[in-house]
Amino acid sequence: MTVHVLILCTHNSARSVLSEGMLNHLAKRLGRDVRAHSAGSAPSGRLNPFAIEALNNAGIETAAYRSKSWDEFTGPEAPPLSIVITVCDSAAAEQCPVFFAGQGQPVKVHWGYADPSNAEGGDEGKRRAFELTRQAIGYRMLQLLLLPLESLSKPELLAALNAIAKS
């Protein structure tokens, strides 16, 4: 049975897109039946070009990606979510979305990342920040994929995801 993971951020243009790309890419490489989705509470309607560039440079196909609302994951046709991860940086005073699922409560965890689009140093500074964020996200997603997702209880899964957040 596929484990569906929803990654949320405010605008669904950078960090959540990097997370979706990395989790799907790593799951496929490891042969894990995990499917990542991303969405935002106030989607910008566009993907940050530096996020797309960082994913493409890592060999990840992004043509099907788009900025979308979390509303797409609340209806009866939405995939049954096992995990919801918020990736906005609350320290930067962003409004971080709260998710209420209609199909049983998924395990919810916060893995905050600073917004790489605010990096200094012009385009090169932003490129560097997006690549470093992609790598940091990839490290956590790899840890998630190494968990025995099918056999963990919800409290065990939450504890494991919170431990990854501290790594």
Side-chain angles (χ1 to χ4, degrees):
M1 188 168 98
T2 303
V3 174
H4 289 275
V5 179
L6 178 61
I7 301 135
L8 296 174
C9 204
T10 308
H11 300 297
N12 188 218
S13 66
R15 290 160 291 182
S16 53
V17 172
L18 290 170
S19 300
E20 176 184 15
M22 289 308 297
L23 184 53
N24 283 330
H25 176 72
L26 292 168
K28 184 176 179 185
R29 288 189 59 188
L30 294 172
R32 295 297 308 268
D33 194 10
V34 174
R35 176 83 172 99
H37 312 274
S38 69
S41 58
S44 67
R46 61 176 275 285
L47 300 177
N48 188 300
F50 292 108
I52 297 303
E53 181 179 317
L55 289 170
N56 290 161
N57 287 344
I60 299 168
E61 177 55 49
T62 58
Y65 287 19
R66 63 187 175 84
S67 176
K68 58 201 161 297
S69 172
W70 64 9
D71 293 341
E72 291 187 24
F73 296 90
T74 60
E77 69 288 342
L81 301 173
S82 299
I83 302 169
V84 174
I85 303 171
T86 53
V87 293
C88 41
D89 182 13
S90 55
E94 292 179 66
Q95 181 63 38
C96 209
V98 177
F99 186 78
F100 301 98
Q103 304 164 324
Q105 288 297 311
V107 172
K108 300 173 200 126
V109 66
H110 178 70
W111 292 352
Y113 299 95
D115 188 350
S117 21
N118 293 333
E120 296 179 3
D123 285 355
E124 281 314 304
K126 287 187 187 350
R127 273 190 187 89
R128 219 173 8 262
F130 271 87
E131 178 55 23
L132 290 172
T133 302
R134 185 196 65 76
Q135 291 176 19
I137 287 168
Y139 177 71
R140 282 185 176 162
M141 293 306 175
L142 186 56
Q143 289 179 290
L144 182 155
L145 289 167
L146 295 176
L147 295 173
L149 297 171
E150 303 78 14
S151 62
L152 292 175
S153 68
K154 283 189 176 188
E156 291 168 333
L157 178 57
L158 180 60
L161 294 173
N162 280 326
I164 292 170
K166 294 179 178 128
S167 68

